[in-house]
Amino acid sequence: RSGRDMARIIVHLHGRAKDRSARAMIEDFAARIKGRGISVDENSSKSLSPKDFEAALASASGDLILFDEGGEMLSSNEFAALVESFGLAGQTVNLAIGPADGFSAEIKAEAKQLISLSSLTTTHELAAVLLLEQLYRATEINRGTPYHRD
């Protein structure tokens, strides 16, 4: 691997999007970022409770970053810098969008960082689309392409 390769980033989603439009956007952005060291793990098991999802996140190797409405707000450029720092650290980073009712205080306390995608409340499906688009945007910013305009 060259020094420019990114660390492995795994995006964890609680459940598969039911909305067809959101599903298509999630699949599109997941395909765009797949070759950049970023994978999407949609836990589509209907039997996985939010508590079990959190237990799986807590046991995953690497750092855990949760996306939560109470987290830190970042600009796209700040998020791109964070994504670039993952590559420098060289370890797996787990990014997670929570279940519909959000994360428990216990898993939030275990996370390395909490990030807010918006101060607006959205569905977790829309949050997943937004996160994946921002990951794509971050990789484009870091590559110096014209996708992102300041």
Side-chain angles (χ1 to χ4, degrees):
R1 291 175 58 124
S2 75
R4 293 194 48 88
D5 286 343
M6 294 177 51
R8 183 165 182 235
I9 298 172
I10 305 170
V11 178
H12 300 270
L13 306 176
H14 184 259
R16 183 175 158 92
K18 294 174 187 76
D19 179 87
R20 197 174 310 139
S21 298
R23 167 101 244 109
M25 292 179 80
I26 288 168
E27 290 172 357
D28 177 50
F29 283 111
R32 291 185 196 198
I33 60 179
K34 185 176 183 181
R36 299 176 186 184
I38 304 170
S39 61
V40 178
D41 180 16
E42 293 176 281
N43 193 296
S44 56
S45 170
K46 292 180 181 176
S47 62
L48 187 74
S49 70
K51 186 174 182 141
D52 290 339
F53 177 66
E54 288 187 2
L57 291 174
S59 67
S61 67
D63 289 335
L64 176 62
I65 296 176
L66 302 178
F67 287 83
D68 180 80
E69 63 188 3
E72 178 185 6
M73 297 287 289
L74 301 175
S75 69
S76 292
N77 286 317
E78 289 168 334
F79 186 63
L82 180 64
V83 169
E84 190 169 48
S85 77
F86 298 159
L88 299 174
Q91 68 176 9
T92 299
V93 177
N94 297 281
L95 306 178
I97 297 284
D101 293 325
F103 289 110
S104 70
E106 293 78 21
I107 192 77
K108 286 180 189 180
E110 290 185 36
K112 180 178 181 179
Q113 187 173 4
L114 298 177
I115 298 174
S116 175
L117 289 168
S118 172
S119 57
L120 300 172
T121 301
T122 68
T123 65
H124 62 288
E125 292 174 337
L126 188 54
V129 171
L130 183 56
L131 173 57
L132 294 177
E133 190 280 335
Q134 286 298 302
L135 282 165
Y136 176 70
R137 181 176 298 274
T139 61
E140 290 297 296
I141 289 170
N142 292 337
R143 293 171 70 193
T145 73
Y147 181 81
H148 177 74
R149 295 169 188 81
D150 284 319

